[in-house]
Every structure is written in structure tokens, then in C-alpha cells.
Amino acid sequence: PARERIAAAGADNVELLHADAQAYAFETGSFDAVISRFGMMFFENPQAAFTNLARALRAGGRLIFVCPQDPLKNQWVVVAFGAAVAALGRAPDLGAPGAPGPFAFADGDRLTQLLIGAGFRDVRLESLTRPVCIGRTISDAVGFILSLPESNQLFAGVPQDTVDAAAAALHAGFAPYAGQQGVVVDATAWLVTAHR
């Protein structure tokens, strides 16, 4: 899809590279900016990745990215947790704090220290809360939640009637957020900026 979008835009100055930012040998000081939208949280070794990205930036270059904050500051997570607790008596396991995954950088202080340790300065985290469409319909939103790895883990080996009860609880939980624009909920993220 990226190649198709680039071609459709007629952009001839874009290079696509499939590489591991933790270890790829970027040319030192070769980039003006590093930009990511909800991708940085999945590094196995964020300190190595941020250090490598800092090395790739020219002096004064900018790092800009967006990543989720605390899960409970996101309405879709609150609804999903409520449905899981209603059906199973427990919420999904999101892993250890700081572990690779959607909420790896929920702790803003930890994230700031990682970036400073990697060689960034002027680190700034701005809290953003914005409406997000998580499905065209309530069924789409429920399908999205049930397709997540955390949901698959939570419902592994669980009787189908329990899964159905959770789906019904999700459906009821998302109903108030459904409208002509789809199922729209507030999500809270960090907008992170820093300089090399």
C-alpha cells in the first residue's frame, strides 16, 4: 500500500526501507527528522532504537512521534476492560509496564529518560485527547477489540458462551459512542518532540 500511495501522489523523492531501527546502520547525521505515528512503542530495546535514531539525525534534527498514554485514558480500553471484567471477572493482561506493546511509553517520565539517555535534548511530551473512530459500526468495533492479541490471549480456552457474553458487553458498551461517523471514542496520546 505504501508504494501505491507514493506512486499515486507522484512522489519521486521517497525511498522505502524495511529495516530494524534498533540496529540498522543509518548514515550518521543523514536525516533532518524522524517521524512516527504509533510505531515506536514496539521496540524490543527502545534505548538502542532511540540511540540509533539519534545518531542518524543531523545536529539540530528533530524527533517527532505519537504514542498512547495510560490505557485507562482511552475510552475504547475502558469499555473493553469493562466487558472483560463483566464476562470473566478480570481484565486483559497488558504485560509488564514498559514492555513492548501499545502502551510501552504510557509512563511519560520513563519515556523522557529514555530519550535523554539516547542523546536527545529539549524533550517535550504534550498530552493530546482526540476522537478516534474504532469501527464503522458497533460490530466493527467489537470485531476490532476481539481481534487484538490481548483479547486472543484473554479468551484462549474460554467457553464460547463466555466469549459471546463479552461480545454482548462490548456491543452494549460501545452503543453510546455509535453515530453517523461510526463508533467514535476519545483516545489520549503523547505528542513527543525532541532535538538532536
Side-chain angles (χ1 to χ4, degrees):
R3 291 187 198 290
E4 294 167 7
R5 289 196 307 266
I6 291 167
D12 60 0
N13 62 344
V14 177
E15 177 185 351
L16 296 177
L17 176 66
H18 183 199
D20 183 349
Q22 299 169 119
Y24 186 78
F26 295 108
E27 183 180 337
T28 300
S30 60
F31 292 97
D32 295 324
V34 171
I35 302 169
S36 174
R37 185 179 69 171
F38 298 106
M40 298 280 192
M41 314 83 60
F42 300 101
F43 293 136
E44 289 292 327
N45 184 340
Q47 192 68 66
F50 287 133
T51 299
N52 197 35
L53 292 171
R55 186 186 56 74
L57 283 170
R58 66 167 173 75
R62 293 184 66 200
L63 171 72
I64 307 107
F65 68 94
V66 180
C67 63
Q69 284 190 38
D70 185 292
L72 296 179
K73 291 185 177 182
N74 292 278
Q75 286 178 325
W76 68 270
V77 175
V78 172
V79 170
F81 276 23
V85 170
L88 292 170
R90 60 187 164 94
D93 179 10
L94 297 179
F103 302 104
F105 300 138
D107 180 342
D109 292 336
R110 175 180 173 265
L111 176 54
T112 298
Q113 290 310 309
L114 281 168
L115 293 170
I116 291 169
F120 287 99
R121 60 182 175 79
D122 304 328
V123 176
R124 182 172 176 231
L125 277 66
E126 180 183 347
S127 181
L128 302 176
T129 300
R130 299 288 188 273
V132 175
C133 179
I134 63 164
R136 291 185 311 266
T137 65
I138 297 172
S139 293
D140 287 346
V142 171
F144 163 68
I145 297 299
L146 292 178
S147 73
L148 295 172
E150 295 82 4
S151 296
N152 289 325
Q153 181 182 27
L154 181 68
F155 293 114
V158 171
Q160 186 60 45
D161 62 335
T162 304
V163 176
D164 293 343
L170 284 168
H171 195 279
F174 285 126
Y177 302 101
Q180 290 183 342
Q181 303 301 316
V183 179
V184 179
V185 294
D186 282 342
T188 303
W190 294 120
L191 171 60
V192 182
T193 57
H195 287 89
R196 176 71 173 104

